[in-house]
Amino acid sequence: MSSDYVPKPPPPDEINNSDLGGMKTLRNGLIMLAIILICFLAISRFIPGVLVAITPSKIETRIGNAFSKHPMIKKGRSSKKLNKILAKFQAADPDLKIHSISSISNTQENAFATIDKRVLVTSSLINNSDSEIALAFVIGHELGHIKHRHPLKSLYEKFLMRFISSTFGGGDSILKLSGDLASTSFSRSQESDADLYGLKLVHKAYGTVEGSYDFFERMQKKDKLVSLMTAGSLLSSH
């Protein structure tokens, strides 16, 4: 009995190999995840600048007011040294935008710029400053962050990064968003911009910038550099 039936060839080995198929699926999934993450990271670096550019000053003030109720700001006190420096800055630059400058009790030598255009300087920094110009430069640096709206941009960056984290990490992450928004950090270019602004402001007010970096040099010698470039603190600009 003859027949024209021809058996089909067996499928390739990799089709029947579940381990190999699983590895391909995993690889493709990882590639897709990497692409998504790269896109999100690229967007998160671009969007904050756009948001800052389109955010009206009134909205920025409202956002800042939400953080101004923090105990750190409430405990701020007036300081003759700080007010003297601020008066010189305002005389040198009448367009200077700042809501207040105050001293807070803290053992660390540091200063912070908040979203609502306030500058906080620790009592330790005020008491240990070698010269008025050195202290003035630290304050000018913080005013530079305010001038360039760095605190607001850092807030947007933190928001987007937390959103991305919550998207891939689960719902619990989004619950921590409000607590993390106030902890901001600046890039090296932002710190450089703040430095340049501070130096220009000091030169306008004092006619010299000599001694401006005394604070940083002293902290480096003590090996306790908790400076504007590295410090991370609630409501701070760093």
Side-chain angles (χ1 to χ4, degrees), residues 104-120:
I104 55 175
S105 298
N106 197 290
T107 56
Q108 290 186 342
E109 297 183 37
N110 212 338
F112 315 108
T114 66
I115 299 172
D116 59 337
K117 298 180 176 64
R118 301 174 191 266
V119 174
L120 306 176

Side-chain angles (χ1 to χ4, degrees), residues 57-161:
S57 180
K58 292 182 179 180
I59 300 299
E60 183 178 9
T61 300
R62 291 180 181 179
I63 295 174
N65 288 339
F67 295 96
S68 65
K69 299 178 181 179
H70 190 274
M72 179 185 289
I73 294 180
K74 286 186 175 182
K75 292 180 180 179
R77 297 180 179 180
S78 178
S79 167
K80 291 183 178 180
K81 284 186 178 180
L82 299 182
N83 289 332
K84 179 183 177 182
I85 292 172
L86 181 58
K88 287 189 176 183
F89 281 164
Q90 290 177 327
D93 183 5
D95 296 327
L96 192 64
K97 302 294 184 181
I98 178 173
H99 286 175
S100 69
I101 184 169
S102 56
S103 168
I104 55 175
S105 298
N106 197 290
T107 56
Q108 290 186 342
E109 297 183 37
N110 212 338
F112 315 108
T114 66
I115 299 172
D116 59 337
K117 298 180 176 64
R118 301 174 191 266
V119 174
L120 306 176
V121 184
T122 64
S123 55
S124 180
L125 174 57
I126 297 173
N127 296 332
N128 295 324
S129 293
D130 296 330
S131 68
E132 182 176 320
I133 287 185
L135 181 59
F137 172 66
V138 174
I139 296 172
H141 176 100
E142 295 304 328
L143 292 174
H145 284 309
I146 293 175
K147 173 70 174 181
H148 295 293
R149 307 177 81 183
H150 291 161
L152 182 63
K153 184 176 181 181
S154 292
L155 182 71
Y156 285 144
E157 289 175 349
K158 191 71 176 180
F159 181 91
L160 287 171
M161 292 306 296

Side-chain angles (χ1 to χ4, degrees), residues 132-200:
E132 182 176 320
I133 287 185
L135 181 59
F137 172 66
V138 174
I139 296 172
H141 176 100
E142 295 304 328
L143 292 174
H145 284 309
I146 293 175
K147 173 70 174 181
H148 295 293
R149 307 177 81 183
H150 291 161
L152 182 63
K153 184 176 181 181
S154 292
L155 182 71
Y156 285 144
E157 289 175 349
K158 191 71 176 180
F159 181 91
L160 287 171
M161 292 306 296
R162 177 55 65 181
F163 175 77
I164 293 172
S165 175
S166 67
T167 300
F168 291 97
D172 292 341
S173 297
I174 198 67
L175 297 177
K176 302 176 183 178
L177 176 60
S178 60
D180 288 347
L181 285 179
S183 178
T184 59
S185 59
F186 288 153
S187 66
R188 289 187 177 182
S189 63
Q190 289 174 325
E191 294 293 352
S192 296
D193 289 341
D195 270 351
L196 182 59
Y197 180 87
L199 288 173
K200 288 182 177 180

Side-chain angles (χ1 to χ4, degrees), residues 1-10:
M1 181 178 178
S2 62
S3 174
D4 296 331
Y5 172 76
V6 178
K8 295 181 179 179

